[in-house]
Amino acid sequence: MKEFKFKISGQDYSATVAEENAGSLVVTVNGQAYQVEVPQTKAAAPVMARGNAGAAQAGGPKNINSELPGTVTKIVAANGQRVKKGDVLLVIEAMKMANDIVSDVEGTVQRIAVTEGQSVNQGDLLVEMVADAVAAPAAAAAPAPKAAPAPAAAPAPAAPKAAAGAKVVEAPLPGTITKVLVKPGQALKAGETVCMMEAMKMENSITVEFAGTVKSVLVEVGAQVQSGQALVELA
C-alpha cells in the first residue's frame, strides 16, 4: 500500500493506493474508497518539469518540483551534469504509470533532492538547477538594397529598305544570309547569283531575274531574313 498527502486548491488530502488484483486498484481519499480500473503499467508521456521560469529566462537558480504524487523509481541525472531542454532527470511512478520528469531548460544540475524509492507529493522539490541565460533573439537583418535594373539594350538597327517602286531581289523564304556576292555599282545579268542563303538546312542561291546595276545591298552575312524581304536593290 502506498500513502500520499497533497493539497488541491489549498485543501489537504490524504490518499492510499492498494492493488486489489491485476488491473484493479482501491484508492482511498480522505476515508472514501474508490475502485479504480487501470491498464497495464506503461510509460507515460514525459512530464515537463516546471519551476521558477522567470529566473530560467534570465539564467540562474531553478527548482524542479513534482507535478504529481508518486514514487521515485529511477534517478537519471547527476549532480554537476549538463542537461538540455527535454532531457530526462528522473522517473516517478504514479497510478501504475512511469512518468519521465524532463527539464524545461538548458543548464546544470546543482543537486538531486530525492532518492530512488522515495515517495513524493505534488509540489515537492526534486532537482535544483542553474539554468543558462536565454539569448535575446537577433534583430532581423536589414534587407539588402536592390540592385538597379540593368539598362535596356538598345534596339537593333532596322534593316535598310528599298525605295518605293525600286527593282529589288527578294528572299523567296525565311533563312540566314551566308554569303553576299555583289556590291553597289556592279552590273548584273538575268540569272546571276546575288547571295547565298541557308534555309531548312539547305544552301540556296538567290538569283536576279532581270539585268541591272546594283544600287544597294540591303543585307549582310549572318542576317536573318523573312520571306519577301528585299535583299538587293537594282537601278
Side-chain angles (χ1 to χ4, degrees):
M1 178 182 296
K2 296 181 181 180
E3 297 183 1
F4 305 96
K5 292 183 179 181
F6 50 93
K7 286 186 177 182
I8 299 178
S9 300
Q11 183 174 350
D12 292 325
Y13 289 85
S14 177
T16 61
V17 179
E19 185 171 356
E20 189 173 58
N21 50 53
S24 178
L25 300 175
V26 175
V27 180
T28 303
V29 181
N30 288 356
Q32 179 67 47
Y34 301 90
Q35 191 79 23
V36 179
E37 298 292 333
V38 295
Q40 294 182 348
T41 302
K42 62 180 181 179
V47 177
M48 187 68 75
R50 292 182 292 180
N52 48 334
Q57 291 297 320
K62 174 180 174 62
N63 292 336
I64 304 298
N65 301 320
S66 179
E67 292 291 311
L68 69 172
T71 301
V72 178
T73 58
K74 186 176 182 180
I75 303 294
V76 178
N79 293 341
Q81 180 179 336
R82 289 277 305 162
V83 294
K84 296 180 180 179
K85 184 176 181 179
D87 284 354
V88 178
L89 303 174
L90 51 89
V91 180
I92 290 180
E93 182 181 316
M95 299 297 290
K96 300 283 285 182
M97 299 181 69
N99 301 272
D100 289 341
I101 307 302
V102 301
S103 176
D104 63 346
V105 296
E106 184 169 337
T108 302
V109 176
Q110 189 173 31
R111 183 175 73 93
I112 303 294
V114 292
T115 59
E116 292 186 0
Q118 178 179 337
S119 294
V120 295
N121 292 317
Q122 184 177 18
D124 283 356
L125 175 65
L126 303 177
V127 181
E128 292 179 355
M129 292 185 58
V130 176
D132 294 344
V134 178
K146 294 183 179 179
K161 295 183 180 180
K167 295 187 294 183
V168 296
V169 179
E170 297 179 344
L173 69 169
T176 302
I177 301 299
T178 58
K179 188 181 293 185
V180 176
L181 302 175
V182 297
K183 57 186 177 180
Q186 182 177 342
L188 297 176
K189 296 179 181 179
E192 287 193 69
T193 301
V194 296
C195 61
M196 303 295 294
M197 184 175 72
E198 183 179 318
M200 302 296 291
K201 294 188 177 182
M202 296 180 64
E203 196 79 11
N204 301 273
S205 298
I206 308 301
T207 60
V208 63
E209 297 179 354
F210 42 82
T213 301
V214 176
K215 183 176 181 180
S216 61
V217 178
L218 305 176
V219 291
E220 58 184 11
V221 175
Q224 302 285 328
V225 298
Q226 302 299 321
S227 178
Q229 181 176 334
L231 306 177
V232 178
E233 181 181 5
L234 298 175

